[in-house]
C-alpha cells in the first residue's frame, strides 16, 4: 500500500511537471538537510534562493518528503542532497527527479577510499561525512564544480566563495584537533545515541561509541544498552552525550544502567548530529554547530571550560 501511494505521488509529480506553473524568476536550489543547505548557501552567488527541506532537530534517516516538499523539489532548478543513503526514505523520489532535472549528491565528491564502512553493513558507507570538515570540503568542492557546469556565469563567484568557505572549514578543522588533543588521552571516548561520529573520531582522534548503529531506523534493544553500559563502567567513561535529532530516552537509559552498576556517568550535553541549530542562532550553520559540539565535548568530558588559548 505504501509503495502504491508513493507511485501515485511520483506519477503526480511527473504529470505536474508538464503543466504550466507559477515560478519565481530567482534561481532556486532545494537541499535536503540543513548541512547541505549551509554548504550551498556559502558558495552560490548572492540572490540565489537556497531552501533546506529539513529543519532543526529533524532526523534525515527517518524523514519522508511531505506534499509541500514534493512541490518545492518539483519547482527547484537544481536539487542538492547529502547521499550515501542518509536520506533513506527520500531515495526513490530523488532518483526519479534525477531523470528530469539536475540532482547533485554532495557525497559523490568524496573519494571511495576516504569513506568509512559501518561494522553492521561492511558493504555500505557511513553517511555522516560533515563531521570531518576536511572531508566535507571535498564534497562542497564537487558541488561547486557541478553548479559551475550548469551556470558557467557563476564560476567566478563560486570559486571565490568556495575558497573563503574552505579556509573557514579547514581552520576550524585544525582548531578542533587542538581542542581534542588537549583532553587527556584515556578520556577521549565519545558516547552518543547513534553512530554519527565515526568520521569525527577518525579525524580528531577520539574513540566513538553509539547506542544505535549508523541509522536511527532500527530500534536499539536492551542488549545494546547493557553492552554499552558495561563498556562505560569498565572504561570509567565520565560523560555521555545526547543528540539534537535523536530522542533523549535512549541515552537516559544508559545513564540509569550505569548508575545501577555503581558508576556515575554525567550527561555531557547535547550535540548537533544530523541537523543544525535553530534559525538565526550561532548554530544555524555547520561551522557554528561544529564548534558548539567540540566545546560541549571538551567541557562535558573534562568538566572544565575551554582554555583561553583555545577559545574561538
Ligand atoms: Zn545519523
Amino acid at each position: 500500500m505504501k509503495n502504491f501511494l508513493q507511485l501515485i505521488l511520483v506519477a503526480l509529480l511527473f504529470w505536474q511537471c508538464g503543466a504550466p506553473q507559477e515560478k519565481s524568476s530567482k534561481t532556486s536550489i532545494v537541499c535536503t538537510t540543513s548541512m547541505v543547505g549551509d554548504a550551498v548557501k556559502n558558495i552560490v552567488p548572492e540572490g540565489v534562493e537556497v531552501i533546506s527541506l529539513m529543519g532543526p532537530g529533524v532526523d534525515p534517516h527517518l524523514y519522508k518528503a511531505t506534499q509541500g516538499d514534493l512541490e518545492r523539489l518539483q519547482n527547484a532548478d537544481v536539487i542538492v542532497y547529502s547521499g550515501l543513503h542518509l536520506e533513506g526514505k527520500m531515495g526513490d523520489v530523488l532518483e526519479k527527479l534525477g531523470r528530469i532535472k539536475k540532482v547533485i549528491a554532495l557525497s559523490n565528491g568524496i573519494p571511495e577510499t576516504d569513506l568509512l564502512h559501518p561494522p553492521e553493513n561492511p558493504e555500505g558507507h557511513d553517511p555522516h561525512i560533515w563531521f570531518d570538515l576536511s572531508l566535507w570540503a571535498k564534497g562542497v568542492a564537487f558541488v561547486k564544480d557541478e553548479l559551475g557546469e550548469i551556470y558557467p556565469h557563476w564560476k567566478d563567484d563560486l570559486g571565490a566563495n568556495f575558497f573563503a568557505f574552505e579556509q573557514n572549514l579547514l581552520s576550524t578543522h585544525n582548531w578542533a584537533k587542538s581542542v581534542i588533543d588537549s583532553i587527556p588521552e584515556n578520556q577521549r571516548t565519545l558516547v552518543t545515541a547513534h553512530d554519527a561520529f565515526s568520521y569525527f573520531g577518525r579525524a580528531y582522534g577520539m574513540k566513538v561509541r553509539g547506542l544505535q548503529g549508523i541509522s536511527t531506523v532500527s530500534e536499539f534493544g536492551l542488549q545494546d544498552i547493557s553492552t554499552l553500559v558495561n563498556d562505560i563502567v569498565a572504561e570509567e567513561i565520565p560523560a555521555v552525550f545526547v543528540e539534537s535529532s535523536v530522542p533523549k530516552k535512549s541515552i537516559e537509559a544508559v545513564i540509569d544502567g550505569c548508575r545501577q552498576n555503581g558508576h556515575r556517568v554525567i550527561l555531557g550535553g547535547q550535540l548537533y548530529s544530523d541537523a543544525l541549530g535553530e534559525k538565526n542562532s550561532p548554530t544555524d550553520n555547520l561551522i557554528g554547530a561544529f564548534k558548539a559540539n567540540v566545546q560541549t565535548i571538551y567541557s562535558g568530558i573534562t568538566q572544565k571550560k575551554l582554555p583561553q588559548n583555545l577559545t574561538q
Side-chain angles (χ1 to χ4, degrees):
M1 184 64 187
K2 219 171 81 188
N3 282 343
F4 179 67
L5 278 177
Q6 242 174 16
L7 245 157
I8 291 192
L9 271 177
V10 172
L12 207 68
L13 208 71
F14 279 115
W15 174 72
Q16 286 185 348
C17 285
Q21 51 191 267
E22 269 186 47
K23 192 180 169 309
S24 77
S25 56
K26 267 189 185 176
T27 303
S28 164
I29 303 183
V30 174
C31 306
T32 53
T33 70
S34 43
M35 291 74 77
V36 174
D38 171 68
V40 173
K41 264 182 230 158
N42 266 286
I43 61 169
V44 292
E46 242 173 90
V48 175
E49 181 182 53
V50 181
I51 299 168
S52 306
L53 297 180
M54 302 178 202
V58 172
D59 181 347
H61 302 287
L62 304 176
Y63 190 82
K64 285 185 197 137
T66 64
Q67 185 56 43
D69 290 342
L70 292 174
E71 276 164 28
R72 282 182 207 106
L73 289 164
Q74 170 201 321
N75 287 327
D77 295 297
V78 179
I79 296 165
V80 188
Y81 70 107
S82 203
L84 303 174
H85 301 290
L86 176 73
E87 301 95 337
K89 313 227 161 182
M90 286 181 71
D92 284 353
V93 175
L94 291 169
E95 194 197 325
K96 296 208 164 98
L97 283 162
R99 294 180 203 153
I100 50 170
K101 64 176 72 196
K102 188 72 186 171
V103 177
I104 305 167
L106 186 147
S107 56
N108 278 349
I110 298 175
E112 166 75 28
T113 45
D114 283 348
L115 294 173
L116 289 171
H117 304 272
E120 70 266 27
N121 178 18
E123 301 288 297
H125 297 111
D126 183 336
H128 304 90
I129 44 179
W130 55 95
F131 283 125
D132 174 345
L133 296 182
S134 66
L135 213 58
W136 191 244
K138 293 183 188 178
V140 182
F142 174 74
V143 175
K144 172 206 61 157
D145 292 341
E146 291 283 297
L147 289 175
E149 292 289 310
I150 309 167
Y151 303 106
H153 58 290
W154 286 7
K155 272 190 181 168
D156 287 350
D157 278 345
L158 284 167
N161 292 345
F162 172 73
F163 181 74
F165 187 48
E166 187 189 35
Q167 295 297 305
N168 207 352
L169 287 170
L170 297 181
S171 75
T172 310
H173 178 81
N174 292 332
W175 166 79
K177 271 191 185 164
S178 321
V179 173
I180 304 301
D181 265 356
S182 71
I183 299 175
E185 202 176 343
N186 63 350
Q187 291 177 24
R188 287 181 213 153
T189 302
L190 181 59
V191 181
T192 58
H194 89 299
D195 275 334
F197 291 89
S198 296
Y199 290 104
F200 184 92
R202 183 180 70 178
Y204 308 106
M206 287 193 90
K207 278 205 271 177
V208 176
R209 300 284 171 75
L211 181 57
Q212 279 170 283
I214 60 152
S215 170
T216 53
V217 171
S218 54
E219 285 271 305
F220 61 94
L222 288 176
Q223 186 57 41
D224 300 317
I225 294 180
S226 74
T227 307
L228 190 56
V229 165
N230 289 341
D231 289 351
I232 294 172
V233 174
E235 293 175 36
E236 297 178 19
I237 291 169
V240 296
F241 297 86
V242 288
E243 297 174 31
S244 61
S245 56
V246 183
K248 291 183 176 57
K249 66 175 194 306
S250 55
I251 278 297
E252 280 164 354
V254 172
I255 295 176
D256 277 349
C258 291
R259 198 173 293 144
Q260 283 161 21
N261 281 276
H263 175 66
R264 188 176 166 272
V265 62
I266 62 155
L267 190 58
Q270 177 173 279
L271 303 178
Y272 297 97
S273 57
D274 294 357
L276 301 177
E278 294 295 331
K279 213 174 167 194
N280 299 324
S281 78
T283 57
D284 70 356
N285 59 90
L286 178 62
I287 288 177
F290 185 90
K291 283 182 178 170
N293 279 354
V294 171
Q295 290 180 6
T296 303
I297 291 167
Y298 180 89
S299 55
I301 292 176
T302 64
Q303 290 298 294
K304 288 183 201 150
K305 270 193 178 166
L306 211 56
Q308 199 71 43
N309 62 329
L310 289 172
T311 310
Q312 284 227 325

